[in-house]
Amino acid sequence: MEFASKPIRVGQKPESAFKSVIFPIYQSSTFAWDDLESTPDLEYTRVQNPTRRALESVIAALENAEFCTCFSSGMAAVMATFSLLKQGDHLLIASDIYGGTHRLGVAHLPNLGIDVSFYDASNPDSMREAATDRTRMVIFESPTNPTMQVMDIAANVLVAKSLGLLVVFDNTFASPALQTPLEFEVDLVLHSTTKYIGGHSDVVGGAVATKDPQLAEQIFEFNKNVGCNPSPFDCWLTLRGVKTLALRMERHCKNAAEIARYLEAHPRIRQVYYPGLESNPGHTLAKVQMNGFGGMLSFDLDGSEEQARALAKDLSFFILAESLGGVESLIGYPKLMSHAGMTEEERLARRITPTLLRLSVGIEDSRDLIADLEQALKKLG
């Protein structure tokens, strides 16, 4: 089955009782038992629910996985992968990564007796230098948040496997429409389904997909025991949103490319971070391991921090807000939003300057989006 057909056809045959074309919301906390001789397939929604099961089958199909477990948020999905570690283990986190993942590693895992350190995923061999005899897992992403670095997935996996590490990959920025990391022998791929998979900024969720049945069972058990399951309605909203993923990503990519070219040529922009630009260091690699360059980009304003903040507030089509991946365009200020948990020194080491702004380019007409940027940039003088 082709990619665009999967979110519409996988696991969603007309429901048996009334033949509804759209898969129902099973808004029930519990399910009846026929008898006490055998446990039913479905018993309690914290454990599993038909609407959630349908969504999990879709995400697994999109990621070319065998198994998927959905969560109440992307961070719950990240924590589920970390739950595979035990006291005394060591985790390697890519230095260029989502701020929430960084914060979880630094602020919480040490309290569980798990040591954390960082490595440069743009130089996979740095993993060898950072690893110890207690290292059990590595986590990285590509393109990175927020500077859009393209990491060589295959090269990182190769080094990790030579060290016997479990490999976790955050595919939120690209979505399975643009890359499927399990094809590169990643062990676990995770998503904040809040973003491109849901696609409409109306539901929060997460997912972990894998081909490994043992890992899948451990992830599922964590979800069941901790109770970080998504509600049936949240699953239904995500199931509705993912149906148009292929179409939306085409428009996101087209709009982002046009805006990136516009910004690259503008005299008030110091640097544009977008893998679709030929000037981007990761452009050639992105063409190899991605099916498109995505809807996310960042740019460094040639000006002051005050001017960057003013620019963010002077836009009308780009809404000043956290998150990404929705049909509407957003502008974010990583220093105070996605990476606020880092110190200034840590941010600057990752090129997250006080003048860096991040765009989640929506599916509006790109002419309106460029005009919006133009009027705001003109105000800077």
Side-chain angles (χ1 to χ4, degrees):
M1 189 182 298
E2 298 300 322
F3 183 88
S5 300
K6 290 179 179 179
I8 301 170
R9 295 300 183 186
V10 169
Q12 300 168 80
K13 292 181 179 179
E15 190 263 342
S16 58
F18 299 102
K19 302 300 180 184
S20 58
V21 172
I22 298 301
F23 200 86
I25 308 169
Y26 284 87
Q27 195 64 46
S28 179
S29 62
T30 191
F31 300 88
W33 291 44
D34 290 330
D35 52 52
L36 293 175
E37 315 313 331
S38 58
T39 304
D41 180 42
L42 292 163
E43 52 183 313
Y44 193 59
T45 282
R46 174 171 53 79
V47 180
Q48 190 51 280
N49 177 280
T51 314
R52 172 181 147 192
R53 182 176 284 174
L55 175 60
E56 289 173 344
S57 67
V58 167
I59 295 175
L62 294 178
E63 282 289 359
N64 296 324
E66 298 295 326
F67 311 95
C68 175
T69 299
C70 283
F71 292 85
S72 55
S73 71
M75 287 311 302
V78 175
M79 189 61 209
T81 66
F82 291 167
S83 74
L84 298 171
L85 300 169
K86 63 181 185 300
Q87 187 176 18
D89 285 348
H90 176 236
L91 167 68
L92 280 178
I93 300 179
S95 55
D96 198 351
I97 204 160
Y98 169 55
T101 304
H102 176 277
R103 183 171 57 248
L104 182 61
V106 169
H108 296 286
L109 292 190
N111 296 333
L112 303 176
I114 298 168
D115 292 329
V116 176
S117 56
F118 297 88
Y119 85 104
D120 180 4
S122 67
N123 174 21
D125 282 332
S126 68
M127 199 186 307
R128 300 184 193 278
E129 300 168 12
T132 72
D133 57 1
R134 296 183 295 107
T135 309
R136 299 291 178 264
M137 178 185 289
V138 61
I139 182 170
F140 69 110
E141 63 185 39
S142 179
T144 62
N145 184 1
T147 55
M148 305 305 298
Q149 283 197 79
V150 180
M151 303 304 182
D152 191 325
I153 302 174
N156 274 272
V157 170
L158 185 64
V159 175
K161 293 301 182 182
S162 73
L163 296 171
L165 307 185
L166 198 64
V167 184
V168 181
F169 185 89
D170 188 338
N171 201 27
T172 299
F173 260 36
S175 90
L178 302 186
Q179 67 186 12
T180 47
L182 294 177
E183 306 284 309
F184 296 92
E185 306 301 324
V186 163
D187 294 299
L188 296 154
V189 59
L190 66 87
H191 286 274
S192 170
T193 57
T194 311
K195 313 309 194 293
Y196 285 110
I197 287 178
H200 292 77
S201 301
D202 55 8
V203 60
V204 173
V208 178
T210 184
K211 294 182 178 182
D212 187 309
Q214 184 177 357
L215 292 176
E217 180 63 22
Q218 290 175 278
I219 294 293
F220 177 83
E221 285 296 314
F222 175 84
N223 191 324
K224 180 180 77 173
N225 295 332
V226 175
C228 46
N229 54 289
S231 73
F233 184 55
D234 286 353
C235 290
W236 184 85
L237 282 173
T238 308
L239 197 58
R240 182 182 66 168
V242 75
K243 284 179 168 62
T244 58
L245 177 63
L247 285 171
R248 287 186 282 108
M249 290 309 297
E250 287 180 13
R251 187 60 172 262
H252 285 303
C253 291
K254 176 180 178 293
N255 281 355
E258 292 177 7
I259 289 169
R261 288 193 291 268
Y262 162 76
L263 290 171
E264 187 177 42
H266 199 285
R268 291 307 305 268
I269 306 302
R270 182 181 295 114
Q271 179 75 47
V272 179
Y273 300 101
Y274 184 64
L277 294 173
E278 292 185 1
S279 59
N280 187 284
H283 179 70
T284 300
L285 177 59
K287 288 198 298 182
V288 172
Q289 67 183 29
M290 299 178 72
N291 298 320
F293 301 113
M296 298 299 300
L297 65 92
S298 295
F299 63 92
D300 212 347
L301 182 71
D302 187 5
S304 65
E305 178 175 347
E306 291 70 25
Q307 288 177 315
R309 292 178 180 230
L311 176 65
K313 292 187 293 184
D314 283 339
L315 295 165
S316 55
F317 272 86
F318 287 92
I319 302 167
L320 180 60
E322 296 190 68
S323 198
L324 59 104
V327 293
E328 65 290 310
S329 293
L330 303 178
I331 185 165
Y333 187 55
K335 178 180 176 178
L336 296 181
M337 292 181 175
S338 61
H339 291 70
M342 291 182 177
T343 66
E344 184 73 1
E345 183 181 8
E346 288 172 331
R347 284 192 294 268
L348 291 175
R350 294 160 176 81
R351 294 182 292 177
I352 305 172
T353 67
T355 53
L356 184 75
L357 295 164
R358 190 190 76 181
L359 301 182
S360 173
V361 181
I363 64 171
E364 304 95 336
D365 192 301
S366 61
R367 291 171 294 187
D368 288 323
L369 298 174
I370 290 173
D372 192 27
L373 289 164
E374 179 69 17
Q375 64 81 25
L377 285 165
K378 280 183 177 178
K379 290 182 181 178
L380 300 179

